[in-house]
Amino acid sequence: MELDRPDVVAEVAAVFAAYEKALAVNDPDEIMSFFHDSPGTVRFGVADRQTGWAQQHAWRAAQPPLPPGRLLHDTLVSTFGDGFAVVTTCFGYAGGAVTGRQSQTWVRLPEGWRIVHAHVSHQPS
């Protein structure tokens, strides 16, 4: 298995950037298009948890927009072969003291790269 092939890293980085764009404009349908439509897809949030695509979609549709000025740093795309990847990043907001962490497990499926597991947390103050 070849790790971190530049072409695969670039593919995953591009879909991750598109996901972040959808998140920034608060487009629930677009955000959810990046998640695998499965009852086994899990998202752990800061104070929430969703299991399954439908539960995640309902939760996402009820959420207010993120604060403006979301900034990412220390983003790392790790790929394993040409069909599995993990993306980790830290995030914050302009003028905010909170730093969050996010990880996503991506799998290449027939319909393209999809998130099968996601986790978001804040670092303790």
Side-chain angles (χ1 to χ4, degrees), residues 74-120:
D74 298 328
T75 302
L76 179 63
V77 177
S78 301
T79 64
F80 307 85
D82 65 357
F84 186 84
V86 175
V87 178
T88 58
T89 194
C90 296
F91 63 89
Y93 300 94
V98 174
T99 298
R101 297 174 284 201
Q102 163 181 322
S103 63
Q104 299 169 334
T105 304
W106 291 78
V107 176
R108 184 194 304 269
L109 297 168
E111 60 272 21
W113 285 100
R114 296 294 184 268
I115 301 166
V116 296
H117 178 85
H119 184 260
V120 180

Side-chain angles (χ1 to χ4, degrees), residues 16-111:
F16 175 72
Y19 167 84
E20 280 292 320
K21 181 178 178 184
L23 196 61
V25 298
N26 195 38
D27 184 338
D29 293 330
E30 183 68 14
I31 294 166
M32 290 308 302
S33 74
F34 294 97
F35 283 82
H36 179 44
D37 189 349
S38 167
T41 300
V42 175
R43 180 190 174 277
F44 293 118
V46 173
D48 56 272
R49 181 186 87 186
Q50 301 84 45
T51 302
W53 189 94
Q55 195 176 80
Q56 288 179 56
H57 189 272
W59 178 86
R60 179 60 65 193
Q63 296 309 299
L66 293 177
R70 180 173 161 99
L71 304 168
L72 301 183
H73 60 93
D74 298 328
T75 302
L76 179 63
V77 177
S78 301
T79 64
F80 307 85
D82 65 357
F84 186 84
V86 175
V87 178
T88 58
T89 194
C90 296
F91 63 89
Y93 300 94
V98 174
T99 298
R101 297 174 284 201
Q102 163 181 322
S103 63
Q104 299 169 334
T105 304
W106 291 78
V107 176
R108 184 194 304 269
L109 297 168
E111 60 272 21

